[in-house]
Amino acid sequence: MTNQNFGSADPVAAPALRDVVFRVATAAVPLLLLGVGLGLPLLTGLLDMAQLSHGGARLLSAVLAAVLGRTLLFAAISGGIATIVAWTFALITTGWPRSYRTLLLVLCVLPVATHFILRTYGLQQIFGAGGPMNSALIMTGLIVEPLPLTKSAFGTVMALTSWLLPVSVFFMYMVVRSVPRELIDAAVLLGAGRAAILRNVWLPQTTPGAMLLLTINFCLGYGTYLSPRLLGGLEDVTVVVLIGQLLNEGRSAQAAMVGTIATAIPLVIAAIVFLARRIHARSRKLLIQRSSEQCGSC
Amino acid sequence: MKARKIVGICIGVAAVLGVLTWAFWSPAPKNAEQQLVVASWGGAYQTAQRKAFFEPFEKEFKVHIVEAGTPDYGKIYEWQRSGAASIDVVDVETFFVFQAGKKGALTRLDRDLLPTASLMKSAVDDFGVASCAYAEVIAWNKKRNPGLSDLKWSDFWDTERIPGPRAFRDLPATTLEAALLADGVSPDHLYPLDVDRAFKKLDALRAKTKIVLWTAGSEPIEFLKDRTAVLSTAWNGRIRDAQNEGMPLEMSFNQATLDWLWWVIPKEAKNKELAMKFIAFTLRPDRQRALVENIPYGPTNEDAWTGLPEDKLRQVPNSPANMKRVIIRDNKWWAEHETELVDRWRQWKLGLGK
């Protein structure tokens, strides 16, 4: 065998270096695009805001912070309610006969066939101060004055949840259906009760699907416009409504900046969750490594 | 057999194509330039404009008027940037004429084509001309509140006498004036507005009752009908229209804020010449009278007053009798402070900065 000279480069280190360069390049391109996409409107908006007086800029920042907080809250509450209701419904109906379940699915899809604006106006009529819901409550003597079911935070959450619910039920139904029946049969054969099957089979099997639905619902709810516009109260302004108002006032640079910040926030949240999970996994791995080393020495 | 099948398929395809062409084909206007796109506020107001302005203009000038959706101020600024506008004439509020004119988003009007001698002085600007006067009034449901009449802003704030939610337009203009008038500021000393005092008065109302906001002109009617609000601000023409439809609504011109609705031509409009002709046409005394016949929005051409019946004069906010009772909004002041006050209004709505 002849000893071939490959130059000064280490033959083992070379592919590793290439790998690093490739990794950096693949990460850099999307990061650069993201940076330009988010950075440019942010910069334009900040420059535009600099033209406002100090008080004016502070005022807009305070408004933006409050609006972002409210939007996140609305998205989390409505997304959470829709996910939990859909999850519960899907789990309950697993024991139902097939024909009933089909009927349920048809009923779920039906509202989607009507436009969201129509459904929201319908809710406004039904739950409004003079609508059938308040009239019935007054007639039964439960209340004297109409409840603020519309033009309030409750109205916004209700409209948003009702928008998210049909598709959520459909989604969770498919998730529950994908659980292998053999697991349930095995649990029954092993003598598990209903509660034990729910705890040990249904919940662990369907939780990833429910988490995915929660994320989708949150994202949809985060971009809501019509629900707070039609059914929201004095304080129920969401980011998209704010953007619409700024555009209407000819403040497009500030609208772009608000849009950028609103887009960046879920990305930052997702990045923090991702990093936290990686740190957690790494520390767990280290812990296991250390304990195995300690075991080996003892 | 095969040939017959092919012929059959061809006939079928031709029939489908024929039906589709018939369904989607619309004849192009003989002269593509003779088309004017106008944006206005819809509802009873645009119906009145159609009868008084659009249809007679189409007949007289042999052009076709396309009615676009409601005015979008953001789009007018957008057209300025992109260099192409899809609407030729837009009906806008006063502050926008001053604001957008200053920012260069509007076309400077050719005064030689306008009847400036007979127009009210306050109704003419370099970048727009007012076509009518309207008022933001206090409105209520007289079936639910039969004893009320001639309400003013201090009554609007009196939640002990008239309990129940109040509705305002989702804008600081008029709302701040209303708060100051309710707090006892004299109409002669209203401007420059004492903004802090106005927001304090609004805070006091908010502490006592629920406040709801409207953005579309039809919303106050709905609010008063379904008890979402007991008292609401509203445009006088909308209330009159609801009354004509048999709804038990009432309004008061006492301290109502008077304002104008203006025609403007976006900077990048395609048919500027025709747009100018249209604007001049709507300012003719006979057309101004025709508008009042259809909706109680006052004329801006002084010559239009002659021949208006007494009952119409009573309904018009800028008639000599009503002019003594209304407040004229200082739109120059608003154009200067609009941005800062809109942000302050947002802050107030969110309950911040107390």
Side-chain angles (χ1 to χ4, degrees):
Chain A
M1 263 174 86
T2 52
N3 192 8
Q4 284 181 323
N5 188 2
F6 289 97
S8 58
D10 183 357
V12 183
L17 188 70
R18 267 209 304 272
D19 193 37
V20 169
V21 170
F22 179 73
R23 275 188 181 191
V24 169
T26 45
V29 173
L31 278 174
L32 194 73
L33 285 174
L34 199 70
V36 172
L38 294 180
L40 268 181
L42 193 68
L43 193 71
T44 325
L46 286 172
L47 285 173
D48 198 57
M49 254 178 92
Q51 289 172 13
L52 294 175
S53 64
H54 178 61
R58 217 175 45 189
L59 200 65
L60 188 63
S61 312
V63 166
L64 178 58
V67 167
L68 276 170
R70 263 163 238 260
T71 313
L72 287 168
L73 198 68
F74 280 137
I77 293 174
S78 309
I81 293 173
T83 307
I84 289 167
V85 170
W87 198 0
T88 314
F89 224 72
L91 287 173
I92 288 171
T93 53
T94 48
W96 288 15
R98 197 190 167 98
S99 56
Y100 278 24
R101 274 187 288 160
T102 312
L103 182 70
L104 170 83
L105 277 188
V106 170
L107 289 175
C108 271
V109 174
L110 262 182
V112 186
T114 58
H115 198 277
F116 175 57
I117 297 176
L118 277 179
R119 278 185 280 151
T120 313
Y121 271 115
L123 287 173
Q124 200 176 8
Q125 294 302 317
I126 294 165
F127 292 95
M133 180 59 80
N134 264 315
S135 302
L137 288 171
I138 291 171
M139 227 160 64
T140 51
L142 286 168
I143 53 169
V144 184
E145 285 295 311
L147 290 173
L149 302 176
T150 57
K151 293 288 165 194
S152 59
F154 176 83
T156 307
V157 170
M158 177 180 64
L160 247 179
T161 309
S162 79
W163 174 49
L164 297 170
L165 204 53
V167 178
S168 300
V169 171
F170 199 76
F171 186 96
M172 281 316 293
Y173 175 80
M174 298 316 285
V175 169
V176 167
R177 259 193 71 177
S178 68
V179 174
R181 297 297 303 178
E182 295 83 6
L183 291 176
I184 315 295
D185 294 341
V188 171
L189 280 174
L190 289 168
R194 277 187 168 189
I197 294 174
L198 177 72
R199 202 173 52 245
N200 299 316
V201 183
W202 285 121
L203 290 183
Q205 289 289 318
T206 54
T207 301
M211 288 303 118
L212 177 64
L213 177 65
L214 183 67
T215 313
I216 295 169
N217 278 347
F218 177 82
C219 292
L220 290 172
Y222 190 67
T224 185
Y225 177 79
L226 267 174
S227 308
R229 202 90 177 92
L230 294 177
L231 293 173
L234 197 64
E235 298 168 9
D236 306 325
V237 183
T238 57
V239 174
V240 185
V241 173
L242 180 65
I243 292 171
Q245 287 172 350
L246 289 172
L247 283 173
N248 205 27
E249 290 157 26
R251 297 159 74 180
S252 51
Q254 287 170 25
M257 185 194 70
V258 171
T260 309
I261 294 171
T263 313
I265 283 178
L267 289 177
V268 170
I269 294 173
I272 291 170
V273 171
F274 176 75
L275 280 174
R277 287 184 70 167
R278 284 206 76 168
I279 292 166
H280 178 70
R282 191 158 284 185
S283 58
R284 245 183 102 178
K285 204 174 159 187
L286 273 172
L287 207 72
I288 293 165
Q289 228 170 21
R290 264 189 214 154
S291 56
S292 65
E293 276 168 16
Q294 278 170 357
C295 242
S297 62
C298 62
Chain B
M1 192 66 192
K2 207 177 173 184
R4 281 179 70 182
K5 214 173 176 179
I6 291 168
V7 170
I9 290 169
C10 286
I11 291 170
V13 169
V16 170
L17 285 175
V19 168
L20 286 175
T21 311
W22 175 76
F24 292 105
W25 182 71
S26 58
K30 280 173 193 164
N31 184 351
E33 281 178 8
Q34 295 300 300
Q35 180 171 294
L36 190 75
V37 188
V38 183
S40 187
W41 299 95
Y45 176 51
Q46 196 162 325
T47 307
Q49 283 181 318
R50 194 173 299 127
K51 288 178 188 164
F53 303 152
F54 304 163
E55 286 170 358
F57 184 75
E58 282 180 324
K59 271 187 198 161
E60 204 171 310
F61 286 80
K62 305 277 180 279
V63 294
H64 176 55
I65 287 188
V66 178
E67 294 176 44
T70 49
D72 184 338
Y73 297 155
K75 268 190 184 166
I76 296 177
Y77 290 117
E78 199 56 52
W79 293 333
Q80 187 192 2
R81 274 187 292 273
S82 67
S86 56
I87 296 175
D88 301 307
V89 184
V90 190
D91 196 327
V92 300
E93 290 155 289
T94 318
F95 79 88
F96 183 75
V97 181
F98 301 141
Q99 219 174 54
K102 218 172 172 181
K103 289 183 181 176
L106 304 176
T107 303
R108 193 177 285 274
L109 299 185
D110 183 355
R111 286 195 183 218
D112 294 340
L113 290 174
L114 302 173
T116 36
S118 53
L119 287 178
M120 290 176 185
K121 272 186 185 169
S122 52
V124 188
D125 184 73
D126 285 347
F127 298 97
V129 59
S131 66
C132 65
Y134 73 99
E136 208 164 316
V137 296
I138 301 173
W140 64 95
N141 189 324
K142 65 178 175 188
K143 202 173 159 190
R144 296 212 174 89
N145 298 284
L148 305 181
S149 70
D150 203 35
L151 295 187
K152 51 187 186 298
W153 294 112
S154 55
D155 301 316
F156 198 91
W157 255 255
D158 192 348
T159 49
E160 276 168 30
R161 190 180 144 221
I162 314 162
R166 307 300 202 249
F168 290 106
R169 191 177 177 198
D170 189 3
L171 276 181
T174 295
T175 313
L176 298 189
E177 281 94 334
L180 290 171
L181 290 165
D183 207 26
V185 174
S186 143
D188 303 331
H189 300 102
L190 202 54
Y191 296 97
L193 296 182
D194 185 345
V195 175
D196 290 332
R197 186 173 168 181
F199 277 109
K200 248 183 210 165
K201 192 68 182 170
L202 279 166
D203 278 337
L205 182 66
R206 191 182 196 167
K208 284 193 270 181
T209 190
K210 187 185 173 185
I211 294 175
V212 285
L213 302 172
W214 56 270
T215 46
S218 57
E219 279 179 295
I221 319 292
E222 287 297 316
F223 290 173
L224 294 171
K225 211 170 85 177
D226 73 2
R227 286 202 288 182
T228 301
V230 168
L231 294 179
S232 176
T233 60
W235 295 325
N236 70 303
R238 298 286 183 147
I239 297 293
R240 179 61 62 194
D241 187 56
Q243 286 172 337
N244 292 342
E245 282 177 14
M247 282 184 214
L249 302 186
E250 199 50 83
M251 64 178 150
S252 165
F253 277 121
N254 198 354
Q255 295 184 335
T257 46
L258 182 84
D259 203 357
W260 318 98
L261 282 167
W262 300 66
W263 291 126
V264 294
I265 303 172
K267 184 88 176 166
E268 307 298 336
K270 287 175 204 156
N271 300 310
K272 285 183 185 169
E273 208 175 306
L274 190 61
M276 271 308 305
K277 279 182 190 165
F278 169 76
I279 292 174
F281 176 81
T282 65
L283 299 171
R284 268 171 30 183
D286 63 322
R287 292 303 92 213
Q288 293 262 292
R289 270 196 295 273
L291 185 76
V292 182
E293 290 293 335
N294 287 290
I295 195 164
Y297 285 167
T300 52
N301 188 329
E302 301 278 14
D303 295 343
W305 290 110
T306 44
L308 270 180
E310 192 57 40
D311 66 316
K312 288 285 171 199
L313 281 175
R314 268 199 303 273
Q315 296 170 10
V316 169
N318 61 334
S319 68
N322 284 333
M323 274 302 265
K324 292 173 196 157
R325 315 181 73 215
V326 297
I327 311 293
I328 300 169
R329 195 192 289 165
D330 184 346
N331 284 300
K332 293 256 181 209
W333 188 88
W334 270 107
E336 269 174 43
H337 298 89
E338 177 81 9
T339 307
E340 154 202 343
L341 286 180
V342 162
D343 282 338
R344 181 95 188 261
W345 172 247
R346 281 198 191 99
Q347 186 196 33
W348 178 80
K349 281 199 300 180
L350 291 163
L352 306 169
K354 278 181 190 170

